């Protein structure tokens, strides 16, 4: 299985953010926004967008003199000893914020050893997570999570997955033809969220966006009851705009 690399907007944001963080890390006594612009090659408008996000995520801190230094989150993620625990905590806080922002249950998923795995999620009493009535590992063809992960594989990787997991009918909307599914996955634009419109479960709609870091295939997803389907596309766009925050954590 090979990862099908596709540049997306979140990836460009992460590349810019990493340039900023690398510059900040090299200036242990602090670096001004003017220096950052000069050394990173990023314009003032781009930095005006990135720096508030990096401060909010605690990757950088700004001193009384206006200079930027490495923040607590960046230091912890950069420590091999604390990395896994810090990464899990950082992603969970991001998911919690996204849940409240989009008004939906939110999920972080990975493609691990050839299987779909939901690694973390943020839900609540009024925003319940999807009832897993069929194992997500067997339902990649019908879920937004699964389809988003499969779009990030090459053609052979997708065929290999479908050879192990049959495209069984879960609802009247489920795609059960391997040929149709593979064609749709291949044609799906990388910057457009993948949708599940009651393909996995009647009464639930979902959306997912990729968060691929290196050879690690992942995605962010959300679910809504079908009566809120009118909010799905806007919620998915919000999720997509915030994917860079998770991708940055995975990349550091």
């Amino acid at each position: 299985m090979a990862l099908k690399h596709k540049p997306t907007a979140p990836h460009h944001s992460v590349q810019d953010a990493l340039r900023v963080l690398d510059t900040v890390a090299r200036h242990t006594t602090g670096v001004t926004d003017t220096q950052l612009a000069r050394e990173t090659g990023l314009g003032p408008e781009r930095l005006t967008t990135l720096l508030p996000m990096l401060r909010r995520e605690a990757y950088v801190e700004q001193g009384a003199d206006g200079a930027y230094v490495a923040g607590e989150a960046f230091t912890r993620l950069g420590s091999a000893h604390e990395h896994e625990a810090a990464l899990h905590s950082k992603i969970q806080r991001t998911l919690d914020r996204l849940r409240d922002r989009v008004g939906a249950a939110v999920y972080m998923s990975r493609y691990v050893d050839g299987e779909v795995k939901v690694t973390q999620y943020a839900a609540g009493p009024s925003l319940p997570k999807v009832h897993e009535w069929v194992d997500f590992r067997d339902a990649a063809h019908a879920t937004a999570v699964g389809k988003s992960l499969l779009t990030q594989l090459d053609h052979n990787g997708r065929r290999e997955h479908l050879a192990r997991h049959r495209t069984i009918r879960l609802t009247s909307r489920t795609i059960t033809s391997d040929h149709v599914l593979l064609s749709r996955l291949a044609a799906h634009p990388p910057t457009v969220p993948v949708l599940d419109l009651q393909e996995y479960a009647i009464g639930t709609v979902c959306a997912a966006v990729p968060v691929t870091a290196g050879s690690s295939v992942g995605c962010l997803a959300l679910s809504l009851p079908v009566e809120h389907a009118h909010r799905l596309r806007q919620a998915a766009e919000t999720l997509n705009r915030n994917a860079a925050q998770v991708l940055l954590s995975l990349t550091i």
Side-chain angles (χ1 to χ4, degrees):
M1 182 273 290
L3 174 63
K4 184 176 181 179
H5 291 280
K6 300 175 180 178
T8 63
H11 284 75
H12 292 313
S13 295
V14 168
Q15 290 169 3
D16 290 347
L18 289 174
R19 288 162 69 182
V20 172
L21 290 176
D22 180 64
T23 304
V24 170
R26 285 189 284 104
H27 291 270
T28 55
T29 59
V31 57
T32 65
D33 49 6
T34 301
Q35 287 176 285
L36 281 172
R38 183 171 63 250
E39 296 186 28
T40 63
L42 299 174
E45 289 186 5
R46 187 72 182 115
L47 288 175
T48 299
T49 300
L50 283 173
L51 287 171
M53 183 273 284
L54 293 174
R55 288 181 62 189
R56 185 171 60 251
E57 297 296 317
Y59 288 124
V60 301
E61 298 175 1
Q62 188 174 25
D65 61 353
Y68 293 92
V69 296
E72 178 187 1
F74 180 66
T75 302
R76 291 188 65 201
L77 285 174
S79 167
H81 177 68
E82 297 187 42
H83 185 272
E84 286 303 317
L87 177 59
H88 186 278
S89 177
K90 190 77 179 64
I91 290 177
Q92 190 60 52
R93 289 196 299 272
T94 300
L95 294 181
D96 290 344
R97 286 200 302 270
L98 281 174
R99 173 199 60 204
D100 298 339
R101 188 173 303 165
V102 302
V106 179
Y107 313 79
M108 176 68 197
S109 301
R110 309 286 282 277
Y111 196 70
V112 182
D113 297 328
E115 302 293 351
V116 172
K117 183 178 181 180
V118 175
T119 55
Q120 290 176 247
Y121 68 90
S126 61
L127 301 169
K129 67 184 182 72
V130 174
H131 171 58
E132 191 175 352
W133 76 283
V134 172
D135 195 318
F136 288 145
R137 292 175 296 182
D138 297 320
H141 64 293
T143 64
V145 162
K147 288 187 289 182
S148 179
L149 295 175
L150 291 177
T151 62
Q152 298 172 64
L153 308 183
D154 61 15
H155 180 71
N156 289 335
R158 296 168 190 160
R159 287 182 61 86
E160 191 277 333
H161 182 92
L162 295 179
R164 290 184 290 108
H165 299 282
R166 292 175 51 243
T167 51
I168 57 176
R169 185 176 300 281
L170 302 180
T171 77
S172 61
R173 295 173 177 265
T174 307
I175 298 173
T176 57
S177 164
D178 286 6
H179 175 72
V180 171
L181 180 62
L182 288 169
S183 295
R184 292 190 182 183
L185 292 175
H188 192 83
T191 57
V192 177
V194 177
L195 304 181
D196 158 18
L197 304 177
Q198 301 188 86
E199 296 169 53
Y200 173 76
I202 295 298
T204 302
V205 294
C206 306
V209 298
V211 283
T212 304
S215 61
S216 176
V217 174
C219 73
L220 271 177
L222 62 84
S223 64
L224 288 167
V226 70
E227 55 265 30
H228 292 285
H230 61 282
R231 295 202 293 113
L232 183 63
R233 291 190 183 276
Q234 183 176 355
E237 290 171 3
T238 301
L239 195 73
N240 204 18
R241 287 196 300 271
N242 288 273
Q245 298 174 22
V246 174
L247 187 54
L248 184 58
S249 298
L250 294 172
T251 306
I252 294 175

